Amino acid sequence: MINKILKSAFILTLMTPFLIHAQTSIQWQEINVTSADKINIGYGSFISHQSNSLLISPGIRDLAAKQDPVIAEQIRDSNVQSEVIYIVDDSNVTATSLSAEQGNRAFAAVTSFQGATLVTGGLAKHKATNLVNLLMWDGRSKTLHSYPLPALPNTATSPSSVVFDNVLYVLTSTDANNQFYALDLNGLINTEGQLFGSENAVNKYTRINSWKTLASLPLASSNMPYQNGIKLAVQNDGAGEKIFAIGGYQLPINKIDSTKTFLGLTSQWKFDPKGNINANQWQSIGTVTLPNKKANQTTDQAANERISSLISFGQSHILAFTDQGNTLSFNAITSTWTKYLADKSGDILIRENTKKIQYVSENIISDNGVIYALNHSTDNTRSLRLWQVSLIQPEKNFGWVNMTVLVTYLICVVLLGLFFVFKNRNTDDYFRGGQSIPWWAAACSIYATMLSSLTYVALPAVVYQSNWVLLIGIWMIVAVAPLAIYVAMPFFRQIDATSAYEYLSKRFNMSVRLFASGLFTLFHLGRMGIVMALTALSLSAVTPLSASDSVLIMGGLCLIYCTMGGIEAVIWTDTLQTFVLILGAIACFVIIVAGLDGGFAEFISIGLRDDKFTMVNVDFSLDSMTTLSIWVIVIGGIGQNLSSYTADQAVVQRYMVTKNPSDARKSIWANAIIAAPSALLFFCIGTALYAFYQTHPEKLDPSIQIDQIFPTFIATELPIGIAGLIVAGIFAAAQSTVSTSMNSIATTVVTDFIRPFNIVKTEKGYMNAARWLTFIMGILGTLAGLIFIDPEIRSLMEAYFKVIGMFMGALGGLFVLGALTKKANSFGAISGILAGVTTMVSAWQLGWADGYLYATIGIISCLVVGYIASLLTQTANSSNKDLTGLTLYTMRSA
């Protein structure tokens, strides 16, 4: 009996987070506007944001003051359409005249562009138009400028529009054959990236530009061929940004019937603007369905409730507002819908005492996370109601237990690092641990150095929004390990290197060594910034700490134990992190799968159904270099690992900390053995997160960044205490990576820039220089972390791949050049590394290759250009140079 009670209590503890229903809610707050009674807002009005002002059009007033929402087809000649537009600045209102021909049209498509407003189509004097206008409000002169742009090929009663990559996309209704058009707006932008803003420049643009016809949007039903009011939004579906078409309504005949009834559309589509436009078609993505937890199924959104407006929110959500006052949320990655309840703490949309509804207007805007809407109250459809919409996220409740575990763990890590302070008698102890580190600890340190918190946090986030195509690239570590064991490591052990770049001075000259060492320093400063920023952004979503606070804490603690403890402190803290992270990852995967209704079987089912287990993208076309095709993954993975195992001081330094080459070989093999299955584990976690949030869409906070999804799950779904331990592990793992970079940079600066020139005369002076440089590099890395805290960076894992390629690719090519060729000389080496960097920069700026290929591009370009330059500049001295032990052909046997 006692055993059963204990077992039940344990299971209940594990499942407690799943019993808690913490859901995002919607709050409506009315904004008081001066002279509101003087403003008459009718149907089809639009709202737009420019600078600090809101532009509000009057729409069309219905003199009968109907209580039902009005669609464009219901407008009659007796309705009043004003030519006054309102500018709301804070709580002040300015009225200015603007005709329908200038953009003051009802039911028009409105979108923002470079701080201005684009108005497309709509009703002018109760008739559909094809006019397109650019509105620019000058707050200083209180003047509203209107510029005509190329007119649509067809008139449109109630179109919708979005801007993507400076191209305006417009969807018309079926009164214009449901056509989809695109207009390139780049001609309106000057060399400084701003709008021209002059009449002559806009007129010139209008004369030479025209609309491009794209694929028409399919009909939702052939039985009801008239559809209108469909809204567009741009959001990322995990494979890139797409244009989504959602909502709208259907009419049974082309002319509205006497009952004025219509059906809300539940179909939804998406369009890839970066695909092959000539062959591109709209892709159906099902219908608007909401989960029915009681019936364990999904149900269609009520047909008589139409989605009247859409806005993109966060990195993967689209908010949809219906004419019945409901707010829905669509996750573009998991393709699931959820309904946000009204928050009871403020003014809400549905008054429970009367059950009356205040209808949301056809247009709603978002600016810097602030959402504005125009609502018409049911008792007065002709008066302005300006509302601010807020999403209320569940309160962060990390809890004192989790926080205590976090603080205790961090203190223990720092104490572990400080334990080695008094073991450092000279720079050999400080930089190489006296070559007394066990092979298994060195292996864990290599693993933590290569992956660390980037793997734990960013990799599941990448897999959550995509699939397993990166797995084979990571597994290339097994293919490169023999090269590291039998080629790279013996080179460094034979010359008894402290810095990896000592080899370059022996193979080429001191200039090559200094250039490479400086490039490595820049790489690891950037790497420190990315690692700290990624971890900080993730932890800020689940702890009371802000992202900046987390960066400063990580940097400060690293400065303490890394500056004092040296490489031994770094390696042993790395070892602790490896065990904690892997055991924590296993626990997380088990708990995620346990949260699925069907357990592991549902995990497999969802993954197979949505192609989340796809590992190979078979694409050998001319454009495949810019995609994650299989050859890009394999070659890119080999290049990244080859660069790290041959040219990265943080890894090479681990070759030198063991007592003999045999132990060094064991550490490299052990790292490969750890890395391959653990990578598979993290890919499983990413897919499990996808399955979990697809079945529990209400639990996903739409405001978080994609990189924050795994830490958010840890903090909100894991049992108390365990969550604190794993978050602490992520925190400290980032510290391990940062401390490794700090020590490695200090090693290269002392060994490559100070010792060769006898700048310091005593061993004690070198020790002091080592500690001071470690401290300084820690400060610079912390500053880089603060800079990298940018919510616009969608995936820091992608940024990390680019940083690796930009710096380590050319360095890897330099080592390959020296080891594989006997004819390479110092001029060829410098030419090669410059060519490698230049080629990678061009790939980055011009976009002719995927970032995953940067390292391989750097290696190949450095090798080819370096070898050719060496052949062209051969001299008697370079030909007769003693290369014993410095090339693959002249290496001494171990």
Side-chain angles (χ1 to χ4, degrees):
M1 176 65 71
I2 295 177
N3 289 337
K4 289 184 178 180
I5 294 175
L6 292 176
K7 182 179 179 180
S8 299
F10 176 72
I11 294 175
L12 182 62
T13 301
L14 285 179
M15 298 303 297
T16 294
F18 299 112
L19 302 177
I20 300 173
H21 187 72
Q23 183 178 349
T24 300
S25 60
I26 193 87
Q27 185 182 68
W28 297 81
Q29 184 68 44
E30 186 173 0
I31 299 176
N32 293 322
V33 177
T34 303
S35 303
D37 293 336
K38 299 178 181 179
I39 303 177
N40 291 320
I41 300 299
Y43 298 109
S45 60
F46 67 75
I47 180 171
S48 177
H49 189 274
Q50 291 193 31
S51 300
N52 296 319
S53 303
L54 296 174
L55 273 65
I56 302 174
S57 71
I60 297 177
R61 286 190 294 123
D62 186 354
L63 296 181
K66 297 181 178 8
Q67 302 222 340
D68 295 324
V70 172
I71 58 177
E73 290 81 357
Q74 293 176 337
I75 300 302
R76 303 183 306 275
D77 290 342
S78 60
N79 295 145
V80 177
Q81 185 169 1
S82 172
E83 292 194 348
V84 174
I85 194 166
Y86 306 102
I87 314 297
V88 180
D89 185 3
D90 292 328
S91 60
N92 299 315
V93 178
T94 301
T96 185
S97 92
L98 189 74
S99 67
E101 291 74 18
Q102 293 174 314
N104 193 359
R105 297 184 291 277
F107 298 97
V110 176
T111 188
S112 297
F113 174 65
Q114 297 289 326
T117 301
L118 293 167
V119 182
T120 306
L123 297 181
K125 299 177 182 178
H126 310 100
K127 295 183 180 180
T129 72
N130 63 347
L131 300 177
V132 182
N133 300 91
L134 177 70
L135 304 183
M136 300 178 67
W137 168 252
D138 188 342
R140 289 173 296 183
S141 64
K142 304 296 183 182
T143 304
L144 182 63
H145 301 278
S146 175
Y147 304 102
L149 297 184
L152 283 171
N154 295 307
T155 60
T157 302
S158 184
S160 182
S161 64
V162 291
V163 172
F164 178 84
D165 278 353
N166 294 334
V167 175
L168 174 63
Y169 293 88
V170 174
L171 177 67
T172 65
S173 57
T174 46
D175 59 355
N177 299 319
N178 218 33
Q179 198 62 62
F180 192 47
Y181 298 110
L183 178 65
D184 191 340
L185 302 175
N186 282 289
L188 292 171
I189 304 174
N190 59 26
T191 56
E192 297 178 356
Q194 298 176 340
L195 285 176
F196 280 110
S198 69
E199 186 173 357
N200 289 336
V202 177
N203 288 340
K204 179 180 178 181
Y205 164 84
T206 303
R207 287 195 303 270
I208 62 178
N209 285 273
S210 60
W211 289 86
K212 183 176 183 179
T213 303
L214 305 179
S216 299
L217 182 72
L219 287 172
S221 171
S222 59
N223 296 326
M224 302 181 70
Y226 191 94
Q227 58 189 29
N228 204 347
I230 299 171
K231 302 303 178 183
L232 301 180
V234 175
Q235 190 51 276
N236 196 303
D237 68 349
E241 289 191 314
K242 305 292 191 301
I243 298 175
F244 289 82
I246 304 173
Y249 51 88
Q250 281 186 309
L251 297 176
I253 55 177
N254 286 346
K255 292 184 179 180
I256 192 166
D257 60 23
S258 58
T259 60
K260 300 181 180 179
T261 58
F262 58 87
L263 296 177
L265 284 175
T266 60
S267 301
Q268 50 188 358
W269 301 266
K270 67 179 176 181
F271 184 92
D272 184 4
K274 291 187 177 180
N276 185 349
I277 296 298
N278 293 326
N280 199 4
Q281 301 293 324
W282 286 93
Q283 177 187 352
S284 174
I285 52 175
T287 60
V288 180
T289 56
L290 295 175
N292 186 343
K293 294 298 181 182
K294 294 182 180 179
N296 195 24
Q297 60 186 14
T298 58
T299 56
D300 285 340
Q301 178 69 12
N304 61 349
E305 182 175 357
R306 71 181 174 101
I307 293 174
S308 57
S309 56
L310 297 178
I311 57 169
S312 300
F313 191 85
Q315 292 187 337
S316 61
H317 283 77
I318 296 174
L319 299 185
F321 300 85
T322 76
D323 62 355
Q324 299 298 307
N326 290 317
T327 304
L328 311 179
S329 175
F330 176 70
N331 187 322
I333 293 176
T334 61
S335 295
T336 53
W337 287 87
T338 190
K339 182 177 179 179
Y340 292 151
L341 303 176
D343 184 74
K344 304 293 184 179
S345 60
D347 292 318
I348 59 176
L349 198 60
I350 300 176
R351 310 291 184 180
E352 293 197 359
N353 57 338
T354 61
K355 300 297 181 182
K356 290 184 178 180
I357 298 172
Q358 294 165 318
Y359 296 110
V360 180
S361 72
E362 297 298 314
N363 283 279
I364 192 166
I365 63 163
S366 175
D367 182 71
N368 293 324
V370 181
I371 304 171
Y372 296 99
L374 293 175
N375 295 346
H376 300 287
S377 63
T378 54
D379 58 348
N380 187 353
T381 60
R382 292 174 291 177
S383 62
L384 170 66
R385 292 293 184 267
L386 178 61
W387 294 68
Q388 181 173 317
V389 189
S390 302
L391 265 65
I392 309 300
Q393 281 77 37
E395 184 179 353
K396 295 179 184 177
N397 188 20
F398 194 59
W400 67 269
V401 175
N402 284 331
M403 186 57 70
T404 301
V405 172
L406 172 61
V407 173
T408 303
Y409 189 84
L410 294 179
I411 291 174
C412 290
V413 169
V414 173
L415 293 177
L416 176 62
L418 292 177
F419 174 77
F420 299 97
V421 170
F422 302 104
K423 296 186 66 176
N424 296 315
R425 297 177 299 275
N426 51 49
T427 52
D428 185 69
D429 291 335
Y430 193 79
F431 292 141
R432 302 200 301 186
Q435 294 189 309
S436 62
I437 304 295
W439 64 267
W440 54 270
C444 291
S445 186
I446 293 174
Y447 175 76
T449 297
M450 293 279 286
L451 302 173
S452 192
S453 61
L454 283 172
T455 302
Y456 208 91
V457 176
L459 193 54
V462 170
V463 177
Y464 159 79
Q465 59 181 319
S466 58
N467 47 38
W468 287 20
V469 293
L470 292 178
L471 182 59
I472 293 177
I474 296 176
W475 277 352
M476 287 300 103
I477 193 172
V478 178
V480 174
L483 296 175
I485 291 170
Y486 298 110
V487 179
M489 186 270 291
F491 276 113
F492 297 112
R493 294 289 302 204
Q494 285 181 13
I495 65 175
D496 195 30
T498 298
S499 164
Y501 312 107
E502 291 181 59
Y503 166 76
L504 296 178
S505 63
K506 296 178 184 292
R507 178 65 181 84
F508 300 112
N509 59 23
M510 181 58 72
S511 298
V512 177
R513 174 182 177 180
L514 295 178
F515 188 90
S517 185
L519 202 60
F520 163 82
T521 299
L522 292 176
F523 161 65
H524 267 267
L525 284 173
R527 185 175 191 256
M528 279 194 284
I530 289 176
V531 169
M532 281 200 282
L534 168 63
T535 309
L537 285 170
S538 301
L539 296 179
S540 66
V542 298
T543 68
L545 300 172
S546 68
S548 299
D549 292 338
S550 297
V551 167
L552 293 174
I553 291 173
M554 281 185 283
L557 295 178
C558 287
L559 288 173
I560 295 173
Y561 74 81
C562 184
T563 300
M564 303 301 294
I567 191 64
E568 279 196 275
V570 173
I571 288 176
W572 286 108
T573 53
D574 283 350
T575 302
L576 175 62
Q577 302 317 319
T578 300
F579 283 102
V580 171
L581 290 179
I582 292 179
L583 292 175
I586 294 173
C588 286
F589 177 68
V590 171
I591 294 174
I592 295 172
V593 172
L596 300 176
D597 294 334
F600 188 76
E602 186 172 9
F603 162 73
I604 297 296
S605 175
I606 292 176
L608 291 174
R609 184 193 66 200
D610 295 347
D611 297 325
K612 301 302 288 185
F613 297 132
T614 300
M615 296 177 61
V616 177
N617 177 15
V618 182
D619 183 5
F620 296 97
S621 65
L622 295 176
D623 296 330
S624 62
M625 183 177 285
T626 61
T627 67
L628 291 176
S629 59
I630 181 61
W631 73 268
V632 169
I633 292 296
V634 171
I635 295 176
I638 291 174
Q640 289 180 17
N641 284 288
L642 186 62
S643 297
S644 297
Y645 278 105
T646 59
D648 191 343
Q649 168 64 20
V651 177
V652 171
Q653 195 169 353
R654 270 67 180 167
Y655 300 163
M656 310 304 298
V657 299
T658 57
K659 61 182 178 181
N660 54 50
S662 176
D663 281 358
R665 283 193 291 271
K666 291 179 183 177
S667 68
I668 298 173
W669 274 124
N671 167 64
I673 293 172
I674 295 172
S678 64
L680 178 61
L681 173 61
F682 290 117
F683 275 75
C684 287
I685 290 174
T687 302
L689 287 170
Y690 173 87
F692 178 82
Y693 285 115
Q694 188 180 75
T695 55
H696 302 282
E698 75 283 353
K699 291 191 174 186
L700 185 58
D701 182 352
S703 65
I704 66 170
Q705 293 180 250
I706 299 298
D707 281 325
Q708 296 174 322
I709 190 164
F710 189 30
T712 299
F713 176 88
I714 291 171
T716 57
E717 306 297 338
L718 292 188
I720 295 174
I722 296 178
L725 183 62
I726 296 177
V727 168
I730 298 173
F731 206 115
Q735 288 180 254
S736 296
T737 305
V738 171
S739 61
T740 292
S741 295
M742 290 167 57
N743 186 270
S744 299
I745 295 174
T747 302
T748 58
V749 174
V750 170
T751 308
D752 298 329
F753 289 91
I754 297 179
R755 193 179 288 274
F757 302 103
N758 295 318
I759 296 176
V760 179
K761 305 301 181 183
T762 65
E763 186 61 29
K764 182 179 179 180
Y766 284 116
M767 272 295 297
N768 290 333
R771 285 199 166 105
W772 273 110
L773 283 168
T774 303
F775 183 81
I776 293 171
M777 294 305 163
I779 291 177
L780 293 177
T782 303
L783 293 176
L786 294 173
I787 293 173
F788 269 104
I789 298 175
D790 183 1
E792 295 301 319
I793 299 178
R794 180 171 181 84
S795 173
L796 282 167
M797 195 74 176
E798 295 177 6
Y800 177 63
F801 287 147
K802 291 180 180 179
V803 170
I804 288 179
M806 292 298 296
F807 294 102
M808 295 308 298
L811 283 180
L814 201 57
F815 279 86
V816 172
L817 176 67
L820 290 185
T821 66
K822 292 191 289 185
K823 295 185 180 295
N825 56 31
S826 57
F827 179 80
I830 291 294
S831 301
I833 197 169
L834 290 176
V837 172
T838 301
T839 306
M840 286 184 295
V841 170
S842 71
W844 171 41
Q845 292 294 320
L846 301 178
W848 55 266
D850 188 85
Y852 204 79
L853 270 180
Y854 286 177
T856 303
I857 291 172
I859 292 174
I860 294 174
S861 55
C862 179
L863 178 61
V864 172
V865 174
Y867 186 70
I868 294 175
S870 298
L871 291 179
L872 296 176
T873 57
Q874 280 290 313
T875 63
N877 290 334
S878 61
S879 299
N880 297 327
K881 184 176 182 178
D882 183 12
L883 299 178
T884 302
L886 297 177
T887 71
L888 187 63
Y889 316 103
T890 61
M891 187 170 62
R892 296 184 293 269
S893 59

